[in-house]
Amino acid sequence: MSRLVPRALSAALAVAAAFGAVDSFAQVKYTAEVRRTSYGIAHIKASDFGSVGYGVGYAFAQDNFCTMADEFLTVRGERSKYLGGTGSTPYGVNNVFSDLFYTYFNGDAAALTAGLARMKPEVQAAFKGWAAGFNRYLKDTGVANLPAPCKGAPFISPVTDVDMMRLVRRYALQASSGNFIAAMMNTFPPSAASESKAWDGVYDEQFWKDYQARREMLGSNALALGADATDNGRGMLLGNPHFPWVGTLRFFQFHVTVPGQMDVMGGSLSGFPFINIGFNKDVAWSHTVDKANHFTLFELKLDPTNPRKYVVDGVSKDMTSKTVTVQVRQADGSLAPVSRVIYSSQFGPLLNLSAPLVWGTSKAYAIKDANLENWRMGDQWFDINRATSTLDVEAALDRNLGIPWVNTIAADRLGNAFYADISTAPNVDRFHQSVCTPDVTMAGVFATLGVPVLDGSRSSCDWVQDPTAPQAGLLPGTRMPRVYRTDFVQNSNDNYWMTNPAANLYSFYVPAVVGIVPQQQGNRTRLGVSQAMAQLATGKFTLPILQQMALSNRSYAADAFLPDMLALCDTQTDAAVVALCSVLKNWDRKFELTSRGAHLFKEFWTRAAAIPNVYTVPFDFTKPLTTPSGLAISNPTVATALVGALTAGGKAITDAGLAVDAPLGMVQFATQTALTGGQVIIPMHGGDSAGGGDLVGVYNKITSSIVPGIGYIVSTGTSYIQTVQFTDSGVNAQGFLSYSQSSNPASPNFADQTAKFSAKQWITLPFTEAAITSDPGYRTTTISE
């Protein structure tokens, strides 16, 4: 087959081939039918998995090429080379720090290629096919004709199988080492003149607040209903991940069909050839970000003669070091090198966090990451995609242990509801952790911050080896929490404990690193459980009832705590405070487009929830779903602070030029369009605390930040949302991709689903052949090479 290749790309390909960058794509033949239905939903049909990957990669590139090109720049460690050192990734990480981090972890092409080789042949073929399809779009389009965000960009180049593995590792490290990029790149040995000072017992509040914000950037709700909970006695599922609306953590909506082998539909993070969250004819599943620790720190006892040596079992060992260098574009266009020396121990690289977790003259801290060698993710979702029941899903989780940092919630057509946190976690049981936590200070670090620290001076304190685990040092899946129910299971980013209040999942044999129990539950968990139980007390779930629950926009915090605040309001005489109180009194306690004052409560409660001793009844582990409760308005100090929180919240709004009593639809917008050159601004319902978190307790979690003179701009939250009902006649699935399928402002599918989501007009997802071909937006093309 002859092909016309733009001259610039032809040269690029020649250079890439000279350095082995094109791999073996030229020897592989792919054929895929790429079909589209309304809203640009892609349906890929092929006879083999390499061709499926080829079709998915091509379709993805049609919609999101520039977003993906930017991410490949990130995982190659080349942002600073092309974009300069002062900018940042879409998720706020400085370009230089990001490049140093990914050069360190992704610089060994041979190790990445070996990771690919560990995957099943079908999965290897799919990832390679994805890269070939992405490259096919680039070849057909040409660099000069790409969408505006990356049109003619000098960093555009073909994607390799090594790049795909760089991307896989980037996702694997998201919830572990990926949370410490800046800290790791700012880790230096203590100077000869430095002294180890005693820690004053005060944590760096801002450091850990930022760490928590990075963790909470990703969230989710999921609810699986069993035979006793649904109107037809079959399974039903709500899946609602809360992910960023920009960058490669956006979901892409597609459907994969390999006749006789796989037929599955849903959404996936950028670059995955299989479905991460979705359904087939037998089972539907979703994931929620879990509470498990996917790393531990090790406290190193340093050799008193040299802070670059550490002692294990009485033997002094040299730290290893690796110099990492990246090129940084200067203002005049020239390149200048920036280097860091990364020091490492037998446990992993060293990192400075904040006191007391810093590299001093007697102690240092290293991170060991459970997901660093997790090359099983592709196999994991490949097997889930082919599951025929919740039992198959469970078996796939146990067998692969490839889920990196999420819970799994599933329902099947037989009426089984299933929950598990079977993910990649350290094999550190409670006894091991208790005897290997170095001292009371490090015990406090775990209790206060949730960061486990083990004693690195004893080899016996390393992660325990279990021959049944697929990777050395991992907790076997069979020892991780799971439950089957015929009523419901749910998760909203708390740990496994309150999956269903009637199921006692607490077990001493589940390590604390998987989840501290008992633990105060978030307000979304309290809302979700209470809504599910209230519905089952009066009747069964139907699909419309499930959808109403998903987007009810009720605030649990308002229902639970606003009455006391309004009682306090009745005692106020200051006119400005009375006016703010009036707004809250008239508010409907929801985050609907028409709700007046929702944003005032958001600002107030974000501040109020941080007040010491603010609750009348603090958390009581015997009443986990109803405590904490009440506001301690009889306490003068608390009462004064609550009024101050309301005043400060109102001021934040008026200082931004907004009205405190405006309808939410007049002040909260989806404007990712404006950031990429488009013109569509869409009012958006849903809510969250100011700055993120789970304080407001709205199931439809929408995180937005105030921009003076404009309003609250959505950055993350409800993303790919699916409601799946199994019926006697097949699957009935409806959903949204909240930010729409394409990140290209010129695409007709740039904001079409966003408008539907704003209006709560659920979109039917065409799954059967008849539904696909009869869809009014149906079109098809076959690509091959």
Side-chain angles (χ1 to χ4, degrees):
M1 180 185 298
S2 64
R3 302 190 291 269
L4 295 177
V5 182
R7 183 176 300 173
L9 180 59
S10 179
L13 286 169
V15 171
F19 287 91
V22 177
D23 298 327
S24 58
F25 296 141
Q27 285 76 48
V28 182
K29 297 187 183 298
Y30 301 105
T31 298
E33 185 180 4
V34 179
R35 303 185 290 179
R36 298 275 189 167
T37 52
S38 298
Y39 310 102
I41 298 173
H43 304 260
I44 312 302
K45 190 174 184 179
S47 61
D48 63 88
F49 290 104
S51 293
V52 156
Y54 179 68
V56 174
Y58 183 85
F60 180 90
Q62 287 181 309
D63 288 315
N64 298 289
F65 184 91
C66 293
T67 295
M68 199 72 232
D70 182 84
E71 185 64 23
F72 281 125
L73 198 62
T74 298
V75 298
R76 290 169 180 157
E78 295 182 338
R79 296 189 67 85
S80 302
K81 178 179 179 180
Y82 292 100
L83 305 179
T86 59
S88 63
T89 71
Y91 307 118
V93 180
N94 171 265
N95 283 347
V96 175
F97 292 160
S98 174
D99 288 346
L100 290 166
F101 179 86
Y102 285 110
T103 299
Y104 177 73
F105 282 110
N106 279 344
D108 187 344
L112 297 170
T113 300
L116 175 63
R118 296 180 199 173
M119 300 179 184
K120 293 180 179 181
E122 301 95 329
V123 177
Q124 293 184 48
F127 274 112
K128 289 187 175 185
W130 195 100
F134 189 81
N135 290 339
R136 169 64 184 271
Y137 172 82
L138 173 60
K139 176 183 72 67
D140 289 350
T141 305
V143 177
N145 299 312
L146 291 171
C150 62
K151 182 176 182 178
F155 57 80
I156 301 299
S157 64
V159 173
T160 72
D161 53 356
V162 171
D163 288 330
M164 298 302 291
M165 294 306 100
R166 289 178 172 128
L167 184 67
V168 169
R169 175 165 278 176
R170 172 259 185 277
Y171 287 138
L173 301 182
Q174 171 71 39
S176 44
S177 297
N179 279 320
F180 300 116
I181 293 176
M184 191 177 295
M185 295 308 122
N186 281 301
T187 296
F188 305 98
S191 65
S194 64
E195 298 180 6
S196 290
K197 296 181 180 179
W199 178 49
D200 62 6
V202 178
Y203 294 107
D204 183 336
E205 181 178 347
Q206 190 59 51
F207 180 92
W208 294 108
K209 183 179 180 180
D210 291 344
Y211 166 70
Q212 194 63 29
R214 288 191 295 273
R215 292 195 67 183
E216 292 180 353
M217 178 179 71
L218 307 182
S220 328
N221 306 318
L223 173 66
L225 301 169
D228 295 338
T230 63
D231 60 339
N232 66 1
R234 295 188 180 275
M236 194 182 301
L237 178 95
L238 165 66
N240 180 13
H242 306 143
F243 273 49
W245 285 28
V246 297
T248 49
L249 291 172
R250 283 170 52 113
F251 282 84
F252 183 64
Q253 198 172 11
F254 64 101
H255 179 182
V256 164
T257 302
V258 179
Q261 299 187 67
M262 182 180 287
D263 190 21
V264 61
M265 187 174 184
S268 287
L269 299 182
S270 306
F272 263 88
F274 302 117
I275 298 299
N276 295 146
I277 291 176
F279 60 93
N280 59 34
K281 68 181 181 63
D282 298 308
V283 64
W285 74 96
S286 191
H287 298 292
T288 59
V289 177
D290 67 9
K291 284 288 189 182
N293 286 284
H294 302 286
F295 69 94
T296 67
L297 300 183
F298 282 85
E299 182 179 272
L300 306 181
K301 178 182 178 182
L302 299 183
D303 187 322
T305 67
N306 186 342
R308 300 183 193 185
K309 291 176 175 285
Y310 63 105
V311 178
V312 180
D313 297 333
V315 178
S316 182
K317 295 189 172 188
D318 288 321
M319 295 178 186
T320 59
S321 64
K322 179 179 180 180
T323 300
V324 178
T325 301
V326 299
Q327 298 297 321
V328 181
R329 181 166 294 278
Q330 307 299 299
D332 62 1
S334 63
L335 297 177
V338 171
S339 298
R340 286 286 192 280
V341 178
I342 310 299
Y343 293 89
S344 191
S345 68
Q346 69 186 54
F347 306 105
L350 274 67
L351 75 171
N352 265 337
L353 299 180
S354 70
L357 303 173
V358 295
W359 188 352
T361 55
S362 61
K363 299 176 183 177
Y365 296 87
I367 184 171
K368 184 168 184 176
D369 197 316
N371 274 307
L372 183 61
E373 294 300 322
N374 182 5
W375 301 109
R376 302 175 303 281
M377 287 192 291
D379 290 6
Q380 181 70 84
W381 274 295
F382 177 81
D383 286 352
I384 292 175
N385 284 196
R386 289 156 54 95
T388 61
S389 66
T390 52
L391 284 172
D392 278 357
V393 172
E394 180 187 22
L397 295 171
D398 279 334
R399 180 172 59 251
N400 291 290
L401 204 58
I403 293 292
W405 32 261
V406 292
N407 303 289
T408 301
I409 297 89
D412 63 26
R413 63 184 178 85
L414 300 178
N416 299 299
F418 172 69
Y419 161 86
D421 186 1
I422 303 174
S423 58
T424 308
N427 190 4
V428 179
D429 65 27
R430 291 169 186 264
F431 178 76
H432 186 84
Q433 185 174 2
S434 69
V435 299
C436 285
T437 297
D439 52 36
V440 67
T441 297
M442 292 304 114
V445 166
F446 182 65
T448 305
L449 306 174
V451 176
V453 184
L454 302 178
D455 185 353
S457 70
R458 292 179 283 162
S459 60
S460 60
C461 287
D462 202 350
W463 299 354
V464 177
Q465 306 296 308
D466 189 309
T468 65
Q471 179 182 319
L474 294 189
L475 182 67
T478 53
R479 289 172 50 203
M480 301 195 77
R482 83 278 310 276
V483 66
Y484 283 93
R485 300 287 299 183
T486 54
D487 51 358
F488 75 91
V489 295
Q490 63 77 42
N491 187 267
S492 290
N493 306 125
D494 283 306
N495 62 36
Y496 59 89
W497 183 33
M498 285 289 108
T499 293
N500 183 309
N504 181 13
L505 283 184
Y506 175 69
S507 169
F508 184 80
Y509 298 103
V510 177
V513 295
V514 177
I516 299 173
V517 175
Q519 190 173 64
Q520 182 173 321
Q521 301 296 286
N523 285 333
R524 276 188 295 116
T525 296
R526 295 169 72 178
L527 176 66
V529 172
S530 65
Q531 288 188 127
M533 294 177 69
Q535 174 58 37
L536 293 178
T538 59
K540 306 286 189 178
F541 271 90
T542 63
L543 192 65
I545 289 174
L546 182 63
Q547 292 173 342
Q548 193 280 330
M549 175 179 170
L551 299 182
S552 70
N553 288 320
R554 280 180 54 197
S555 167
Y556 183 89
D559 288 343
F561 303 112
L562 188 55
D564 283 347
M565 185 60 198
L566 293 180
L568 177 62
C569 278
D570 288 341
T571 69
Q572 301 302 300
T573 58
D574 181 271
V577 175
V578 170
L580 294 173
C581 286
S582 178
V583 174
L584 291 183
K585 183 177 182 179
N586 293 321
W587 174 47
D588 63 5
R589 303 184 190 182
K590 296 182 178 181
F591 279 72
E592 301 284 12
L593 296 178
T594 57
S595 298
R596 289 181 176 272
H599 54 304
L600 176 59
F601 182 78
K602 167 190 175 114
E603 296 290 347
F604 157 69
W605 188 245
T606 299
R607 294 163 172 82
I611 296 171
N613 304 312
V614 69
Y615 300 114
T616 304
V617 180
F619 172 66
D620 179 348
F621 73 89
T622 67
K623 302 174 182 178
L625 295 174
T626 56
T627 59
S629 62
L631 297 180
I633 58 176
S634 61
N635 181 322
T637 301
V638 172
T640 299
L642 285 167
V643 173
L646 180 59
T647 302
K651 186 175 186 299
I653 294 170
T654 55
D655 283 354
L658 306 175
V660 294
D661 62 346
L664 186 64
M666 295 293 290
V667 295
Q668 181 167 271
F669 309 105
T671 59
Q672 78 273 24
T673 53
L675 298 177
T676 52
Q679 302 300 317
V680 180
I681 297 177
I682 298 175
M684 193 52 56
H685 51 77
D688 193 5
S689 312
D694 190 23
L695 299 176
V696 171
V698 177
Y699 221 50
N700 177 27
K701 186 175 185 286
I702 294 291
T703 302
S704 61
S705 301
I706 196 166
V707 177
I710 299 177
Y712 290 85
I713 306 306
V714 176
S715 60
T716 187
T718 293
S719 46
Y720 171 70
I721 179 170
Q722 63 175 20
T723 54
V724 183
Q725 177 188 42
F726 291 100
T727 73
D728 293 343
S729 57
V731 181
N732 177 20
Q734 297 181 351
F736 303 102
L737 192 58
S738 61
Y739 35 67
S740 302
Q741 182 81 320
S742 177
S743 57
N744 177 7
S747 170
N749 305 124
F750 182 53
D752 52 350
Q753 289 199 60
T754 310
K756 289 287 186 180
F757 177 64
S758 176
K760 297 187 182 180
Q761 295 173 348
W762 290 80
I763 296 168
T764 297
L765 306 180
F767 181 65
T768 66
E769 191 69 15
I772 294 167
T773 56
S774 63
D775 185 274
Y778 177 74
R779 59 194 188 278
T780 183
T781 185
T782 297
I783 56 172
S784 63
E785 67 176 270

